[in-house]
Amino acid sequence: MWQIGAAVPAPAHRPPHGREADGRAAAREEVRAALTASARMVPADVEAALERMRQGRYGICPLCRGPSR
């Protein structure tokens, strides 16, 4: 039981607040946006590679027309 006037122990961990919380929220949003963009690019890259295969251009460098390594 607590006594009036007794010291209250400080919490072991304080949640972030103010600028620190804003910075963490911004960092999380930046990571989420990057992951979302990456997830959208993968299927597009696969479709583009499949199309090059259908056209017989897969493995050919688009700049020099030589074989890709």
Side-chain angles (χ1 to χ4, degrees):
M1 176 142 273
W2 294 100
Q3 281 186 332
I4 295 176
V8 177
H13 173 66
R14 284 187 352 218
H17 64 282
R19 288 186 201 166
E20 183 181 356
D22 291 344
R24 288 183 181 184
R28 277 194 304 275
E29 178 59 27
E30 186 177 334
V31 168
R32 187 199 62 76
L35 290 172
T36 299
S38 179
R40 287 184 181 139
M41 289 172 46
V42 170
D45 290 344
V46 170
E47 286 301 320
L50 291 171
E51 182 59 29
R52 288 193 307 274
M53 288 174 77
R54 283 190 283 272
Q55 295 175 355
R57 296 185 298 120
Y58 187 83
I60 299 172
C61 175
L63 298 176
C64 70
R65 305 281 188 233
S68 297
R69 296 178 195 200

